Amino acid sequence: MANPPATSSSAGPVLRGLHNASIKRNLAISLGLTAIVTVAFKLFVNDPKKAAYADFYSKYDANKSFERMKAAGRFQSC
């Protein structure tokens, strides 16, 4: 009864350069995710905010606002 040995002579895991390979892979993934998040933030946060400010200031009348605050008694010097 010849039992095979507990460990076989097959090739072991390749460990040489594993750290560098994983760093390259993680760096590529992180750069890709960073680009995706940056574009998403621009499209879903910055652009609507910019449009809201442009809309507000296109309709804003500073003199009308000043007269409204003056009538409400907000200024002591006027």
Side-chain angles (χ1 to χ4, degrees), residues 27-38:
L27 185 62
I29 291 171
S30 65
L31 289 175
L33 287 176
T34 301
I36 290 170
V37 168
T38 301

Side-chain angles (χ1 to χ4, degrees), residues 53-67:
Y53 273 101
D55 182 47
F56 175 78
Y57 282 111
S58 68
K59 300 174 186 174
Y60 183 69
D61 185 13
N63 291 329
K64 183 179 173 185
S65 181
F66 172 73
E67 292 300 328

Side-chain angles (χ1 to χ4, degrees), residues 12-27:
V14 178
L15 298 178
R16 184 174 304 273
L18 179 64
H19 184 64
N20 288 338
S22 66
I23 287 176
K24 287 179 187 176
R25 186 187 71 230
N26 290 339
L27 185 62

Side-chain angles (χ1 to χ4, degrees), residues 14 26 39 49 78:
V14 178
N26 290 339
V39 169
K49 190 181 289 188
C78 296

